[in-house]
Amino acid sequence: MTTLFEKLGGAAAVDLAVDRFYERVLQDDRIKHFFANTDMKKQRSHQKAFLTYAFGGTDKYDGQLMRQAHKELVEKQGLNGDHFDAVAEDLILTLREMGVSDELIAEVAAVAAAPQHKKDVLNG
């Protein structure tokens, strides 16, 4: 069975998508402030590892759990559902710009914006 990771084009495609995604996020007035003091090289690396795992490119993920990784953002910076939705929107727009099909974008959205992920990110 072909994984979503493979359908998207593997590591090179995920790397490019993450780099372009963060270019968009850092211009998005709704959410860019969450990254003001973030090591973006490290952040990109974490995101690439997470998406590789989430999209079936590997069965190992050594990063923090979503609740742990976002806890301080929720408690101290007010991260909420609108911010989560803005991130998901930026991801979808990035993939559209890259020419990813609507079918694959729907698969990505089903994984990345899944209700359980939103709940975990927002420590709900």
Side-chain angles (χ1 to χ4, degrees):
M1 184 173 102
T2 305
T3 65
L4 178 55
F5 180 78
E6 293 165 329
K7 291 180 196 176
L8 288 167
V14 169
D15 287 355
L16 180 60
V18 168
D19 289 341
R20 289 189 178 175
F21 163 73
Y22 278 118
E23 287 172 14
R24 179 180 295 280
V25 164
L26 293 174
Q27 297 299 313
D28 189 331
D29 290 335
R30 300 171 295 176
I31 54 178
K32 68 183 183 183
H33 61 280
F34 290 109
F35 299 92
N37 297 312
T38 301
D39 176 342
M40 291 308 296
K41 183 176 180 180
K42 191 174 176 183
Q43 179 66 25
R44 283 180 170 90
S45 178
H46 286 307
Q47 189 68 18
K48 290 171 184 179
F50 174 72
L51 291 178
T52 297
Y53 168 75
F55 296 157
T58 183
D59 60 356
K60 293 184 170 115
Y61 176 67
D62 295 328
Q64 293 181 333
L65 298 175
M66 291 296 107
R67 284 179 184 266
Q68 182 183 1
H70 297 91
K71 184 175 189 206
E72 189 170 309
L73 294 175
V74 171
E75 292 176 357
K76 295 184 179 175
Q77 294 187 43
L79 182 70
N80 63 41
D82 290 339
H83 302 123
F84 182 93
D85 294 343
V87 168
E89 178 186 315
D90 284 346
L91 178 59
I92 289 167
L93 289 171
T94 300
L95 295 175
R96 268 204 190 105
E97 271 183 3
M98 292 177 65
V100 175
S101 72
D102 287 342
E103 180 182 318
L104 282 180
I105 288 173
E107 286 187 53
V108 167
V111 173
Q116 186 58 49
H117 285 150
K118 186 172 187 175
K119 185 177 178 182
D120 288 344
V121 167
L122 299 176
N123 285 257

